[in-house]
Amino acid sequence: MADFSIVTPVLNQASTIEACILSVANQEVDIEHIVIDGGSTDGTLEIIQKHQNKLSYWVSEKDAGQSSAINKGLKLASGHFFNWLNADDLLLPNALVQVKQESKPTTQIVIGKCRHVDSSCKEIAIGSARIWESLEATLGNYSMSQPSVFYKTKAVVELGGLNEDLHLCMDMDLWFRFLLKHGQKNILSIDSVLGQFLVHPTSKSSLLYQEMKAEKYSLYHGLLSQFDLPNVLQDFFRKHLVPD
């Protein structure tokens, strides 16, 4: 069994895919890197082929979107820990060594910090998923820096993988489903910066901001429907499906 399975979904990202592949290949752990290309036509495929000796598996074919591509990779994953790394994001040097060293047999998720940078690699912020004092507080104060969140692969498989109806907030949905099933006692937070997230104007989160906000609040509605809320809160969430 590999220590880690990393899945990279990609479509037409020739400018960034090579750095992504190399950032995974340079990790000094037993790792399988699975690249699922959705049928790129911009030179991405040629870069994947150039580095195919660094990959455990790759394929290029049309798919049903990012969540579907990640699930396709998950079905092939045999590593102890699992994460997906988008083609414009990176793992920092020694990131996975730190995850492996810090984790314990009972650890279900390891959370590190993530550097957010702009197109010139200037640091914008350091983010992290956060564990609060209670499960309710962690759910209600959602934050996520997905490249630096590593799930035990078995736990993701048992949850059924990603929700393929979601195309922007699938990480949030997986996080909520994990917390509701397992709680937060076996989640380990470490203080190291493990990943890098590229913020640029052509990213999905930038181009589809309104769609992302709607998807995010639909998940909050689904979450809150499981709680017995006071009438005033139920009325608010019925009237304001996507609050400003």
Side-chain angles (χ1 to χ4, degrees):
M1 175 188 287
D3 297 320
F4 293 87
S5 295
I6 303 294
V7 175
T8 294
V10 58
L11 179 64
N12 292 331
Q13 290 180 289
S15 64
T16 59
I17 183 63
E18 184 167 47
C20 173
I21 291 173
L22 293 176
S23 80
V24 177
N26 290 333
Q27 300 295 314
E28 296 184 1
V29 292
D30 185 4
I31 186 169
E32 56 182 18
H33 192 187
I34 300 165
V35 175
I36 308 295
D37 178 77
S40 294
T41 58
D42 69 335
T44 295
L45 186 56
E46 288 75 11
I47 297 171
I48 293 171
Q49 291 172 326
K50 174 184 173 183
H51 294 292
Q52 60 184 335
N53 65 319
K54 299 178 177 66
L55 306 175
S56 300
Y57 176 89
W58 70 271
V59 68
S60 181
E61 60 189 16
K62 288 188 177 181
D63 54 45
Q66 186 177 359
S67 296
S68 174
I70 295 166
N71 279 344
K72 189 185 298 185
L74 176 63
K75 290 177 182 177
L76 302 169
S78 63
H80 185 70
F81 282 105
F82 167 84
N83 197 3
W84 68 94
L85 187 69
N86 295 327
D88 51 2
D89 297 330
L90 304 173
L91 293 178
L92 296 189
N94 298 314
L96 300 188
V97 170
Q98 294 180 74
V99 174
K100 182 180 178 180
Q101 289 177 343
E102 295 284 348
S103 65
K104 302 172 183 176
T106 56
T107 301
Q108 293 276 67
I109 299 178
V110 178
I111 295 170
K113 297 183 183 301
C114 185
R115 177 186 299 143
H116 295 237
V117 300
D118 64 17
S119 300
S120 63
C121 279
K122 180 181 178 181
E123 185 176 299
I124 300 170
I126 298 290
S128 176
R130 183 173 174 184
I131 301 299
W132 292 68
E133 298 81 6
S134 68
L135 175 61
E136 292 83 356
T138 300
L139 289 164
N141 293 282
Y142 168 77
S143 63
M144 177 60 61
S145 289
Q146 177 269 314
S148 298
V149 179
F150 299 87
Y151 288 81
K152 189 171 284 187
T153 305
K154 182 180 178 182
V156 181
V157 171
E158 289 176 348
L159 289 169
L162 302 190
N163 182 343
E164 295 187 14
D165 291 328
L166 299 174
H167 300 285
L168 295 156
C169 296
M170 52 281 205
D171 50 350
M172 178 181 183
D173 173 73
L174 181 65
W175 178 245
F176 279 1
R177 286 189 286 126
F178 177 91
L179 289 172
L180 290 171
K181 181 174 181 178
H182 297 288
Q184 58 186 34
K185 65 179 181 179
N186 290 321
I187 299 176
L188 174 67
S189 294
I190 62 178
D191 201 37
S192 301
V193 180
L194 304 177
Q196 180 171 291
F197 178 86
L198 178 62
V199 180
H200 57 97
T202 58
S203 68
K204 285 172 61 177
S205 56
S206 298
L207 291 174
L208 303 174
Y209 174 73
Q210 291 300 328
E211 292 87 343
M212 184 174 69
K213 189 165 73 166
E215 205 168 87
K216 175 181 178 180
Y217 280 99
S218 73
L219 292 175
Y220 268 122
H221 280 271
L223 174 66
L224 292 169
S225 69
Q226 301 183 53
F227 293 87
D228 184 16
L229 298 176
N231 289 336
V232 63
L233 289 179
Q234 292 186 32
D235 290 343
F236 174 83
F237 287 112
R238 275 195 293 265
K239 293 175 182 176
H240 302 282
L241 293 179
V242 186
D244 290 331

